[in-house]
Amino acid sequence: MLPRGRSVHDRATLRPRRQVSSCRAARLALLGPLTAAAPALAQPVSDERATPAPGRDAAGSEAEIEAPKAIGPLGVVYPEGAEGQATVLLELLIGADGRIVEATVESGAEPFATAALEAAKSWSFEPARRGGKTMAARIRIEASFSEPEVTQESTQETETEPDTGTGAPAPDGEARQAQPPPPEPIDVTVTGHRAGAPKRLTRAEVRQLPGAFGDPFRAIEALPGVTPIASGLPYFYVRGAPPGNVGYFFDGIGVPTLYHAAAGPAVIHPAFIDEVQLYSGAYPARYGRFSGGIVAGESAPPGYRLRGEASVRIVDSGAMLEVPFADDRGSVMVGGRYSYTGALVSLIVPEVEVGYWDYQGRAQYRLTDRDTVSVFGFGSYDFLSAEDDFGEQQTVYDVTFHRMDLRYDRALSERSALRAAVMLGLDRTLAGDDEGVRVRSRSAVARVAYHGQPGDSVTWRAGADVQLSRFDIRIDDDDDDDDDDDDDDDDDAPRVPPPTIRPGLPEEDPGAFTRQEERDAAFEALFATRDDWVFGAFTDTELALGHGVELTPGVRADLYRTGDDLAFAIEPRISARYAISDRLALRHDFGIAQQPPSFAIPIPGFQARPERLQLGVLSSAGVEAEFGWKLEGSVTVFHNLLFAGTDALGVARLDNAATTQVDNDTDRVTGRSYGIELYLRRPLSERLGGFLSYTLSRAERSVGPLEGPSGFDRTHVLNFALAYDLGRRWLAGARFVLYTGIPAEVAYPAATRRPPRTPPFYRLDWRLEKRWPIGSQGAYFAFVAEVLNTTFHKETLESSCYAYGCLEESIGPVTIPSLGVEAAF
């Protein structure tokens, strides 16, 4: 994996010399780093990438990186037969010997994209350096093509020399350089190893992925190791870990949920997302408090220029605007989305009401060359209601959350930095009206992190945080408060609340009601009103041992306190990587992760008491390879264990085979998952790009006397996608998804180990985009059509099998169309 960094550079506009028979000229704006990069920043607690001071490493993983420098002129030639103006953004991988190993088009239309790629083959660079040693690095270069005026001189069949502005012709091969604008920060990616081997998705790639609707978080379901609960829904198992055991972070801030209700988009506007990483196994020590995987989104860095985006779709509208201030020392960026889905849904399904909105805002200011302050806030709202069996509208999902994070970053020296931050959060969830759940939680988190490089082959990170959370949770099982309004009630008769009967409880069992009351009491005690304190600390060290060997040991510790109850977690982790060659490497990851009991799916504010922690043992080993033609891949085997787990979804079908002995809400489970993952990828931003993601796995659960596959165990999960640039700014793509069925419910404990399965499900998604450029500075507007589940297939999610056969229930077809217009400047 390639950690991301940044540098400050001068942006220069160059004009290549004219070629014989060429009647047009071109301009090239160099966005690559042509000056030395500044020292690294701190890596905060749970922060995947710190917000950098100008010219400092945003990943906090490298120190004093001298970025690549251009050798000689950089030129492009305006393609013959083309018209108008265009901008192409290239990403170059420059090897340790200075040659261009890989050139990729991140954005840009044909034939300009091909012209820029061809020109890049002739460019030369000095390699990046760290501590005097050469290393590979990624830079971004923007080529701006402008159609010149056709003159008598330019149409002659002779070569002409560009004007140098001095009255004399320029030397052969030398281009005239325009006055550069002020320095502007850009992204640099330096090759290196990251603990946990995340699977990375950039926004540029996700934009081309059919079925993701341009949303980086939604693209997570396409990665290996991810098993969906249902097609189109934003909840999934990661290597057997249930949705409640997978942690969500954005820019290092914990996020209670990633998506809006009713298969909506992510709660963060795509313009704020630079990339998303999935740590499906042992994740870095800076993260914690989840026994499964981690989904970490990283915010896009400020551009320190006036820019904006807007989109209008049939379900929602969104926009983003960034404005610099104080002579580009500061930047303010705001954005958000609003859904008018309710008006559309009410026409199709009158008994359903749905709606959502979200907002994001960030202000950043560079106090000095070493000091940066920033404030980042975001929030979300979702509402979903439906009619019950009596025709009354009932709230199914009413959720709001807010986050506000204040940060101070200080570069202590050339090789060390510090971050201090304070975050405030508010979550509110309502479910049901007369009978349901009322949840509100308030939290405050203070954290500090240090990053330093004591030597060229050693990088050390450490941090600590303290979190205070106040949970106000109320679970209503009956509507006693409304009984006084019933005139038909006998006021003299004793009132006995009706017992809560959960599915499968036989009424003929005389002790069933008593046991159920005990279970309900245990469940309500687990999710009770209370104050929680959590103290955490971590440290890890990246060691380059030589001969291609890299080792990253780390440890994390967390102390949970609720009243007088204490729970302590110690979590060692280690990652190792051995580079056999420049294109082939072996890696192994192992870690222990713990978390408090979890609910079936993430619900804002709904968190259990940390009385007995879940324990996950995560291990994997694999091979990573680069095959040329920009094709890379990996094969990974994994084996995860879960002890004292809470997985209501995973054991729900086991519960039905022994209703008087097992309670899937409160009983702890033991589980394991194992399998193999295959991943082949060529960037979707290439003219022809795509990926193949395949997972063969098994997730097992045991609870009480029962053993069997997890309720959402799927043996095979396949994703295959292709994207192609059709030319003339037309982009098209298709994606095929296939996964096999889940276990059916059975009536006897002996049948739980090998239950029947529901039928397989597959779907086809597609995407079509036409883009029109505006001017020569990268502005455009586009029309986008996209459909998830074009095949209109239904999915079977319920199957009950008995001696005489199986009864199946299907949902759908869940088909999501999207038509919209997008614009950016």
Side-chain angles (χ1 to χ4, degrees):
M1 196 58 225
L2 306 178
R4 307 295 300 271
R6 294 161 54 114
S7 75
V8 174
H9 68 286
D10 290 331
R11 178 177 176 179
T13 302
L14 307 179
R15 185 177 66 190
R17 61 173 180 167
R18 296 185 179 182
Q19 307 296 321
V20 175
S21 303
S22 174
C23 63
R24 293 164 178 163
R27 295 182 299 111
L28 180 141
L30 178 62
L31 295 184
L34 302 184
T35 58
L41 262 192
Q43 186 65 50
V45 176
S46 296
D47 278 11
E48 178 62 26
R49 183 178 63 188
T51 302
R56 302 202 176 271
D57 179 9
S61 57
E62 305 290 347
E64 199 172 359
I65 301 169
E66 184 179 349
K69 299 179 181 179
I71 301 176
L74 303 177
V76 294
V77 177
Y78 196 95
E80 293 290 344
E83 296 180 353
Q85 300 173 329
T87 300
V88 178
L89 181 61
L90 299 178
E91 182 180 276
L92 306 181
L93 172 58
I94 300 174
D97 57 358
R99 66 183 181 89
I100 298 178
V101 178
E102 177 183 305
T104 303
V105 176
E106 288 204 352
S107 63
E110 293 293 351
F112 303 100
T114 299
L117 281 176
E118 289 298 319
K121 295 178 181 179
S122 63
W123 298 342
S124 299
F125 294 87
E126 291 183 5
R129 297 177 182 273
R130 182 180 63 190
K133 297 181 179 179
T134 61
M135 61 189 305
R138 289 188 187 273
I139 64 173
R140 287 176 176 172
I141 287 183
E142 183 183 85
S144 296
F145 294 85
S146 180
E147 183 178 5
E149 296 180 0
V150 180
T151 64
Q152 180 69 27
E153 177 186 11
S154 63
T155 56
Q156 295 177 358
E157 294 294 322
T158 58
E159 183 175 359
T160 59
E161 301 292 342
D163 184 8
T164 64
T166 62
D172 184 45
E174 183 176 340
R176 183 177 65 183
Q177 178 172 318
Q179 182 67 26
E184 172 185 344
I186 58 94
D187 286 342
V188 183
T189 301
V190 181
T191 59
H193 168 56
R194 269 185 174 176
K199 304 174 182 69
R200 171 176 171 263
L201 294 169
T202 64
R203 189 191 175 198
E205 262 199 293
V206 171
R207 180 179 172 82
Q208 310 300 330
L209 177 61
F213 304 104
D215 194 327
F217 280 126
R218 181 165 288 281
I220 288 294
E221 69 169 9
L223 295 177
V226 178
T227 300
I229 288 180
S231 175
L233 294 184
Y235 302 110
F236 37 77
Y237 280 71
V238 176
R239 289 186 179 174
N245 290 25
V246 179
Y248 304 145
F249 293 87
F250 181 64
D251 215 29
I253 305 169
V255 182
T257 181
L258 289 182
Y259 306 93
H260 289 292
V267 298
I268 306 293
H269 191 285
F272 278 78
I273 303 175
D274 187 39
E275 66 179 32
V276 174
Q277 298 174 343
L278 170 66
Y279 295 92
S280 49
Y283 48 83
R286 60 182 169 273
Y287 296 106
R289 301 163 193 169
F290 290 94
S291 61
I294 294 291
V295 177
E298 298 180 356
S299 65
Y304 295 99
R305 62 184 177 88
L306 180 63
R307 62 189 181 101
E309 295 185 17
S311 65
V312 178
R313 305 189 300 178
I314 60 175
V315 295
D316 60 23
S317 295
M320 179 279 296
L321 178 67
E322 181 182 4
V323 180
F325 66 92
D327 295 328
D328 293 340
R329 295 187 66 86
S331 168
V332 174
M333 186 173 176
V334 295
R337 280 181 292 198
Y338 178 78
S339 169
Y340 30 81
T341 314
L344 179 65
V345 172
S346 62
L347 296 177
I348 304 174
V349 189
E351 63 272 16
V352 175
E353 296 180 9
V354 63
Y356 59 81
W357 51 256
D358 59 61
Y359 70 90
Q360 303 82 36
R362 179 181 63 197
Q364 182 168 309
Y365 181 70
R366 301 192 296 262
L367 298 172
T368 69
D369 290 341
R370 290 180 175 268
D371 301 274
T372 302
V373 293
S374 60
V375 59
F376 182 31
F378 58 93
S380 170
Y381 169 77
D382 286 272
F383 178 79
L384 174 64
S385 70
E387 290 184 2
D388 60 15
D389 295 338
F390 301 99
E392 297 181 358
Q393 203 75 16
Q394 295 288 327
T395 300
V396 177
Y397 194 70
D398 186 340
V399 168
T400 306
F401 75 84
H402 305 276
R403 296 290 184 271
M404 183 66 68
D405 194 60
L406 177 63
R407 303 173 180 176
Y408 169 70
D409 293 301
R410 169 70 176 175
L412 301 176
S413 68
E414 292 295 311
R415 295 194 172 202
S416 63
L418 185 73
R419 164 173 287 181
V422 176
M423 191 278 293
L424 301 177
L426 174 64
D427 300 351
R428 182 188 64 84
T429 296
L430 302 176
D433 292 327
D434 294 334
E435 300 181 7
V437 176
R438 309 284 190 275
V439 177
R440 187 176 69 169
S441 69
R442 289 162 288 180
S443 58
V445 182
R447 63 188 191 273
V448 62
Y450 170 84
H451 169 89
Q453 190 176 25
D456 293 337
S457 60
V458 179
T459 300
W460 179 55
R461 290 181 291 264
D465 71 327
V466 57
Q467 175 176 330
L468 169 62
S469 300
R470 173 162 294 178
F471 298 96
D472 184 4
I473 302 175
R474 190 178 69 180
I475 304 174
D476 299 326
D477 289 331
D478 55 69
D479 53 352
D480 289 339
D481 295 337
D482 297 331
D483 287 345
D484 295 337
D485 297 331
D486 192 347
D487 295 335
D488 296 333
D489 286 344
D490 184 358
D491 293 337
D492 296 330
R495 298 187 181 277
V496 179
T500 301
I501 302 178
R502 299 189 181 179
L505 261 169
E507 297 185 28
E508 62 273 11
D509 184 352
F513 293 157
T514 300
R515 286 192 295 272
Q516 188 59 52
E517 290 175 355
E518 294 175 351
R519 293 170 179 172
D520 288 343
F523 179 81
E524 293 181 12
L526 193 62
F527 295 92
T529 297
R530 67 193 187 277
D531 291 341
D532 283 358
W533 288 87
V534 185
F535 305 87
F538 80 90
T539 182
D540 64 12
T541 305
E542 292 184 11
L543 303 172
L545 303 180
H547 304 288
V549 178
E550 299 175 2
L551 193 66
T552 307
V555 64
R556 181 179 183 89
D558 288 292
L559 176 65
Y560 301 85
R561 178 178 178 180
T562 300
D564 295 330
D565 298 331
L566 296 176
F568 182 70
I570 184 74
E571 304 173 0
R573 295 164 195 173
I574 188 168
S575 297
R577 186 176 188 269
Y578 174 57
I580 299 176
S581 67
D582 291 339
R583 295 182 176 269
L584 186 65
L586 305 177
R587 67 168 304 114
H588 181 77
D589 300 298
F590 176 83
I592 293 177
Q594 301 184 61
Q595 77 172 103
S598 56
F599 196 59
I601 59 176
I603 295 180
F606 203 49
Q607 183 170 317
R609 295 171 58 93
E611 55 182 15
R612 183 184 176 195
L613 301 179
Q614 302 180 77
L615 174 65
V617 181
L618 316 175
S619 61
S620 63
V623 180
E624 302 169 348
E626 296 181 6
F627 303 102
W629 203 56
K630 302 181 181 65
L631 181 67
E632 60 184 15
S634 64
V635 178
T636 305
V637 294
F638 67 89
H639 188 193
N640 295 348
L641 301 174
L642 176 65
F643 301 97
T646 53
D647 184 9
L649 292 175
V651 301
R653 290 172 175 82
L654 296 177
D655 183 11
N656 289 323
T659 57
T660 61
Q661 304 176 46
V662 176
D663 180 27
N664 60 325
D665 284 335
T666 58
D667 285 0
R668 297 304 184 94
V669 305
T670 300
R672 70 166 181 159
S673 58
Y674 51 93
I676 184 170
E677 301 167 355
L678 172 65
Y679 192 38
L680 292 174
R681 168 184 170 270
R682 190 172 193 259
L684 292 172
S685 52
E686 290 290 316
R687 182 165 190 178
L688 174 62
F691 70 84
L692 172 67
S693 167
Y694 170 68
T695 304
L696 170 66
S697 65
R698 170 85 169 183
E700 300 174 347
R701 296 290 184 266
S702 63
V703 54
L706 302 178
E707 294 184 18
S710 167
F712 285 89
D713 171 65
R714 301 183 188 274
T715 305
H716 306 277
V717 179
L718 172 70
N719 278 267
F720 177 67
L722 286 175
Y724 185 67
D725 188 336
L726 301 173
R728 294 186 176 273
R729 306 180 187 92
W730 282 94
L731 301 173
R735 173 183 166 200
F736 178 73
V737 180
L738 167 70
Y739 45 80
T740 51
I742 57 178
E745 297 177 355
V746 292
Y748 305 101
T752 59
R753 296 190 178 187
R754 296 182 179 273
R757 300 251 177 179
T758 60
F761 171 83
Y762 69 90
R763 75 171 199 251
L764 179 66
D765 309 333
W766 62 265
R767 181 182 186 275
L768 183 66
E769 175 185 342
K770 168 64 174 178
R771 181 177 295 194
W772 292 268
I774 303 174
S776 60
Q777 302 302 315
Y780 70 89
F781 74 93
F783 171 77
V784 180
E786 191 166 359
V787 179
L788 181 144
N789 193 17
T790 310
T791 49
F792 293 96
H793 278 141
K794 294 185 177 181
E795 183 176 4
T796 302
L797 290 180
E798 292 289 341
S799 179
S800 300
C801 296
Y802 301 92
Y804 300 100
C806 297
L807 180 63
E808 296 179 346
E809 294 185 10
S810 299
I811 63 170
V814 179
T815 298
I816 306 176
S818 176
L819 298 174
V821 177
E822 302 176 0
F825 67 90

